[in-house]
Amino acid sequence: MADYKAPVGEYDFLLRNVIDAAHVLDVTTGGEVSLDDVREILGHAGTLASEVIEPINGIGDRAGNTLADGKVTTAPGFSEAYKAFTEGGWVGIGLPREAGGDGMPGVVTAAVNELWSAANMAFSLGPGLSVGAAYALFTAGSDKLKKVYLPPLVSGGWTGTMNLTEPQSGTDLAGIRTIARPRPDGSWAVKGQKIFITWGDHDLTENIVHLVLARTEGAPEGLGGLSLFLVPKYLPEADGTPGERNTVHTVSVEHKLGIHASPTCVLDYDDATGWLVGAQHRGLEAMFVMMNVARVGVATQGLGVADRAYQRAEAYAAERIQGSVAGRPAGTPIAEHPDVRRLLLSMRSTNSAMRAFQLQVVAWLDLARAEGDAQSHALAEFFVPVLKGWLTENSVQIANDAIQVHGGTGFIEETGAAQYLRDARILPIYEGTTAIQANDLTRRKLARDGGATAEAAYTLVEAALKPLRRHDHPVAQRTAERIDAAVASAREASAALLWQSKDNPRDMLAGGVPYLLQWGLLAGGWMHARVLTAALDAPQDADNARRILDADFYGAHHLSRIPSLTEVIRAGEIV
């Protein structure tokens, strides 16, 4: 098995030459953090990911978790790895300083989170949910709750979960039946059952903080009647240490296709003691803070798994000798078979596009928060569903292609390639399926402003072609021509959807996922154009030669799909 190589150098190149992270760091940290500091942070994260977290990935996949006497025991090595993770202060790296975190901007935390996800997606889910819970509590919780629960969440001493789904209520949260009744002391008795609760129970920490959506007695029907409650596994004593066990019971641990080392639990709340977070009947607003953090986080998980699957496939193809390779001497590895080379270039060029796109979206989020920049906010809002949907769909495809590169050995579990496909398959489903992301993109983001933000994004893509055209290089010229054609076709798709939104909304919904994927492909081409410009501006070396090749391949093999998606979108629902 090839060792995981954290893409520290690639992030350094993107942050210095493509995203203008220097400006982002300046406005978000007041100049306290430099690009050199970020590279050092990523270096330390890469070491932990490759030497501590990645080695237990396969172990966790095979061992899974066990439930006995109401207690969940995690896979061997996970407790030690989590201790190293928390001792390094990694849980709170991106949380606000006011919450006790390090206050690093998204351009840093997104990069770090890719490394955790690539090394061990199942492991990364636990700290990721804790970060979301801390954000929600910091945003909507009372001072009393924050005083008790924020410090251990930020340090990683306790973990957090989000409890939405119930047997009868998945995507449609209006069907939630968990009930909360007030008690005289100001607490609430929460009763109901929640399913699919990621890291719902485990033995890594001394307490778990559950954020639970529930309905209060007499609350309005639908989403407007939901409230959010903090329900700990153990009720804290006056000094904050865990005390009496709360009446939250782990009914079972789900048997899943993938992420076996992540304990996904069915939890039963039997009049468990909880406290209201935020205003009554405004629970969804507070939970959305956590859900928005999770959407970007899931996209990052997709990128991480995709890159790890690619690295494994690349290493295998570089060593495996099978058959004669056309136009190459005897003994040439399979990496030089034209179709294997096509698969590897497709994976690599897509991963490069996704990594740059992720950084751009989180940079907009950083600038929107730090500067109140309206355009950054609008662009981030528009592209977050694209980021989540496109990266996770690509993750499944790339993991699938990695198995294809391995051939028959990829279908054998001992090889390890299959785990990435099994793990990645959940990503386009949870935190909102790709269709839900597409509905958000079309019905809310596109139709809401009549396509104004979409047009602003098209204009930005076109602006990236001006510096590219200054290079008298065949790949630069081809890339500019391909993006020009892609933008023209994509504009037609947006116009068709806007017309459908007024004439027949079902047609718009039927074309939603193709539209989301089209935007992802175009955003990837835009990123490659910018990376290509930076590569051509720099001294030529092996890394820049790779970037030039990736841009050329992506343009021919992926941007070329945009016109066909426009035809799909125009067709609407076929009845």
Side-chain angles (χ1 to χ4, degrees), residues 259-282:
I259 53 171
H260 294 155
S262 168
T264 304
C265 302
V266 176
L267 299 180
D268 186 72
Y269 292 83
D270 186 13
D271 285 335
T273 299
W275 289 269
L276 184 66
V277 177
Q280 194 171 341
H281 306 155
R282 305 288 290 274

Side-chain angles (χ1 to χ4, degrees), residues 90-124:
W90 293 106
V91 176
I93 184 174
L95 288 166
R97 292 184 178 181
E98 298 86 343
D102 293 328
M104 290 293 175
V107 292
V108 178
T109 58
V112 169
N113 288 339
E114 182 197 330
L115 310 190
W116 312 141
S117 300
N120 193 325
M121 177 180 155
F123 178 91
S124 73

Side-chain angles (χ1 to χ4, degrees), residues 237-306:
E237 299 284 5
D239 62 358
T241 59
E244 179 186 353
R245 175 70 189 262
N246 206 351
T247 50
V248 183
H249 308 289
T250 304
V251 177
S252 63
V253 175
E254 305 283 9
H255 300 282
K256 309 184 295 292
L257 176 67
I259 53 171
H260 294 155
S262 168
T264 304
C265 302
V266 176
L267 299 180
D268 186 72
Y269 292 83
D270 186 13
D271 285 335
T273 299
W275 289 269
L276 184 66
V277 177
Q280 194 171 341
H281 306 155
R282 305 288 290 274
L284 206 56
E285 293 179 20
M287 185 60 85
F288 266 132
V289 174
M290 193 171 187
M291 292 168 70
N292 285 334
V293 171
R295 280 201 298 172
V296 175
V298 171
T300 304
Q301 289 165 19
L303 170 60
V305 174

Side-chain angles (χ1 to χ4, degrees), residues 165-413:
T165 308
E166 299 179 6
Q168 79 293 336
S169 177
T171 298
D172 185 8
L173 297 177
I176 283 177
R177 295 176 186 166
T178 298
I179 193 78
R181 297 180 177 89
R183 289 174 172 160
D185 64 357
S187 68
W188 294 73
V190 180
K191 188 175 186 63
Q193 189 175 94
K194 297 289 186 177
I195 65 173
F196 303 160
I197 307 307
T198 304
W199 282 94
D201 197 9
H202 57 81
D203 58 356
L204 301 188
T205 60
E206 59 184 8
N207 206 358
I208 303 172
V209 181
H210 302 295
L211 292 185
V212 184
L213 272 183
R215 196 174 299 281
T216 56
E217 289 183 313
E221 294 295 323
L223 299 175
L226 297 175
S227 301
L228 184 63
F229 296 90
L230 184 155
V231 185
K233 178 179 179 179
Y234 292 96
L235 299 171
E237 299 284 5
D239 62 358
T241 59
E244 179 186 353
R245 175 70 189 262
N246 206 351
T247 50
V248 183
H249 308 289
T250 304
V251 177
S252 63
V253 175
E254 305 283 9
H255 300 282
K256 309 184 295 292
L257 176 67
I259 53 171
H260 294 155
S262 168
T264 304
C265 302
V266 176
L267 299 180
D268 186 72
Y269 292 83
D270 186 13
D271 285 335
T273 299
W275 289 269
L276 184 66
V277 177
Q280 194 171 341
H281 306 155
R282 305 288 290 274
L284 206 56
E285 293 179 20
M287 185 60 85
F288 266 132
V289 174
M290 193 171 187
M291 292 168 70
N292 285 334
V293 171
R295 280 201 298 172
V296 175
V298 171
T300 304
Q301 289 165 19
L303 170 60
V305 174
D307 192 50
R308 188 65 187 98
Y310 162 71
Q311 286 191 27
R312 184 184 285 258
E314 179 195 36
Y316 177 83
E319 296 179 353
R320 174 69 167 163
I321 297 174
Q322 186 74 22
S324 60
V325 180
R328 300 291 188 269
T332 297
I334 66 169
E336 285 300 305
H337 280 297
D339 194 63
V340 174
R341 187 169 182 271
R342 175 187 66 83
L343 289 170
L344 292 171
L345 280 172
S346 179
M347 288 187 272
R348 191 178 76 187
S349 65
T350 301
N351 283 341
S352 296
M354 292 193 298
R355 185 173 291 118
F357 179 42
Q358 171 199 236
L359 281 178
Q360 180 58 76
V361 173
V362 295
W364 282 326
L365 289 169
D366 287 335
L367 294 174
R369 295 188 191 107
E371 298 182 319
D373 183 68
Q375 185 184 39
S376 294
H377 176 76
L379 289 167
E381 286 279 299
F382 184 86
F383 277 113
V384 162
V386 179
L387 184 75
K388 196 278 182 184
W390 188 57
L391 267 62
T392 58
E393 292 285 350
N394 281 338
S395 182
V396 174
Q397 183 61 57
I398 289 170
N400 185 67
D401 287 346
I403 292 176
Q404 190 73 12
V405 169
H406 281 80
T409 61
F411 200 66
I412 305 301
E413 287 290 351

